[in-house]
Amino acid sequence: MAGHHGKFVWYELMTTDTNAAETFYKDVVGWDARDAGMPGVNYTLFTKGEQQVAGLMTMPEGALEMNVPPAWLGYIGVDDVDAAAADVAAKGGKIHRAPDDIPGIGRFAIATDPHGAVFSLFSGIGDPPPAVDPMAPGQIGWHELMSGDLDTAFPFYAGAFGWTKDQAMDMGEMGIYQIFAIDGAQAGGMMTKPKDIPSPYWLYYISVPALDTAIERIKSGGGKIVLEPMEVPGGAWIVQALDPQGALFALVGQRG
């Protein structure tokens, strides 16, 4: 996985009903799905063509006991998971699952930033998958952090992963929306969360070719729109939604 330090390399939905979630996202996003073939583990791969995009698994019992809701988790590639986990902790983050091996796949750890937003660290075995256009249909094209405090959150991620500031957009009363770049390419944005949002979180935007069609499929599939379609710079449109199990996700694409 050389050259992937600081890049988002994987996404995973942990949910309470994997069969229903698989049906929902296949219909809304246009993904295919297949069993990962991992011995003793029920893990589904969401795919687009030959490209593996994300994983799907049942929430661990510990999470259910703590009333953690279904959610998407992003994996950030690092050169050395153990060293990166120590660095995250030294910078004020917290390691919630110590570095551990996924046999034949790689090594990972689960962490939160200093304000509590969850992400995972990952280092894979072997060569990385070929690069794809992040805005191609079915890919995850944008990463958004509703942070506890932008002024301290950005330096944390910049220091841990080498992210750099790109454009900063003044959102009026909502504050500054800071676009960040990974290896010089825009990859996402972050801002201080509104006060009525209880805790910080990462949100992942899946690219679709026809946003209005996808919205209708969200509604007919039992999901709920929480942010109505909104145009963003560059001419694309976004929408934010909850899937039927309650996991927050977002779509980006053209109207239609």
Side-chain angles (χ1 to χ4, degrees), residues 140-194:
I140 293 179
W142 196 251
H143 315 87
E144 189 170 85
L145 174 64
M146 285 293 172
S147 72
D149 173 56
L150 176 62
D151 290 339
T152 52
F154 188 89
F156 168 81
Y157 288 98
F161 305 116
W163 298 353
T164 55
K165 288 185 177 181
D166 200 281
Q167 293 173 277
M169 301 167 57
D170 189 343
M171 305 289 287
E173 293 183 358
M174 295 180 66
I176 299 298
Y177 187 87
Q178 178 64 61
I179 295 175
F180 64 88
I182 301 175
D183 285 353
Q186 289 187 352
M190 57 179 73
M191 66 185 299
T192 301
K193 69 177 182 63

Side-chain angles (χ1 to χ4, degrees), residues 73 107 175 219:
L73 174 66
R107 191 165 174 81
K219 294 176 180 178

Side-chain angles (χ1 to χ4, degrees), residues 64-84:
L64 293 173
E65 291 169 0
M66 293 187 292
N67 294 318
V68 175
W72 281 93
L73 174 66
Y75 284 64
I76 302 172
V78 294
D79 296 328
D80 183 319
V81 168
D82 295 75

